[in-house]
Amino acid sequence: MINSKRYGQHTKAFLNVWRPDPKIVLRVCELLETTYGSPRLGNPQDPLDDLVYIILSNKTNPKVAVTNYNRVKKRFPTWNYLLTSKPEVLRQIIKPGGLSSVKAEQIRGAISKITVDFGSSTLNKLRSMSAKDSEKYLCSLPGISKKVAKCVLMFTMGVQVLPVDSHVFRLAKRLGWTSKNRPDQCYEELEELIPPDKRYNFHVDSIVHGRTVCRKKQPLCNGCSIKNYCKYFQNIYNKNKINSKT
């Protein structure tokens, strides 16, 4: 038998997590944009270039990822040329970024499939497809996740989607905007929450904010521009307030 009082409390908490005040959501987006602007984070304009760049960026220091990407582009004038080279050539080039075997396999596999499907190593044909079909195709490529697919669509085609990486997820979790346990579980709820015209800036600003302030360990809450809207900060503040009285 359901305890109606307890059930009501859980329902209220559920709604607070899933339906924060739209005005607060908008205010947070505006504060982040005021603080960080609208950075591109080094992502290339071409869809296939960006796909390779994002693969190289996975679990890698941003500066190392940029260096590796530039080295790859210098070594291979075209992506078709990459396919004619030996696999170990690419692996050696991107080795400083870690996971070189996995990333090299993903890059070669993706370019190979794209070349077979479209007749050449380009993703420009996605521009004539719907956003849904484009995302579906990108996710069909070897090792390409929904996050990567959404990043390519957002950075190179102006599609108003919201990729959820570790920084976006951490921020949303600390703000109290999601109760999910992993980034790949909350695409729909966060896209529903963030207005379409705010999704790009929220994504890139969350990354910069996550790297500099809202860090995984020892976040710099006191210097945070959105701390007044953050559940995580409120919990810390309340705990410190209680401890100071004891």
Side-chain angles (χ1 to χ4, degrees), residues 57-72:
S57 300
N58 184 38
K59 299 184 185 302
T60 301
N61 178 281
K63 291 183 179 179
V64 175
V66 171
T67 299
N68 273 355
Y69 173 77
N70 290 334
R71 291 175 65 196
V72 169

Side-chain angles (χ1 to χ4, degrees), residues 12-20 176-180 189 193:
K12 184 177 181 181
F14 177 84
L15 290 174
N16 285 339
V17 170
W18 290 85
R19 301 292 183 187
W177 291 0
T178 181
S179 60
K180 296 295 193 299
E189 65 177 305
L193 189 64

Side-chain angles (χ1 to χ4, degrees), residues 16 19-27 177 193:
N16 285 339
R19 301 292 183 187
D21 188 336
K23 292 181 180 180
I24 291 179
V25 173
L26 187 60
R27 181 58 179 157
W177 291 0
L193 189 64

Side-chain angles (χ1 to χ4, degrees), residues 117-229:
D117 293 342
F118 296 143
S120 61
S121 54
T122 177
L123 283 172
N124 284 329
K125 289 187 178 181
L126 294 185
R127 299 184 189 279
S128 63
M129 298 166 57
S130 69
K132 182 178 180 181
D133 288 342
S134 295
E135 182 178 321
K136 183 178 180 181
Y137 177 77
L138 289 169
C139 288
S140 75
L141 299 174
I144 302 305
S145 65
K146 181 177 286 191
K147 182 204 79 173
V148 174
K150 285 180 179 290
C151 279
V152 172
L153 294 177
M154 183 189 74
F155 278 110
T156 68
M157 299 185 196
V159 180
Q160 293 178 322
V161 290
L162 179 63
V164 182
D165 70 349
S166 59
H167 297 295
V168 173
F169 175 68
R170 186 189 316 124
L171 184 58
K173 189 82 171 178
R174 287 176 175 173
L175 284 167
W177 291 0
T178 181
S179 60
K180 296 295 193 299
N181 296 314
R182 301 197 314 268
D184 62 346
Q185 295 176 330
C186 54
Y187 288 107
E188 289 76 13
E189 65 177 305
L190 291 182
E191 282 194 345
E192 183 178 348
L193 189 64
I194 309 295
D197 63 338
K198 297 295 182 183
R199 290 171 185 167
Y200 175 87
N201 282 347
F202 183 76
H203 175 81
V204 294
D205 291 341
S206 292
I207 291 175
V208 180
H209 191 63
R211 289 173 178 172
T212 58
V213 178
C214 194
R215 303 178 302 193
K216 183 178 180 180
K217 296 180 179 179
Q218 298 181 329
L220 305 177
C221 294
N222 288 330
C224 177
S225 60
I226 57 173
K227 63 185 178 183
N228 292 336
Y229 304 99

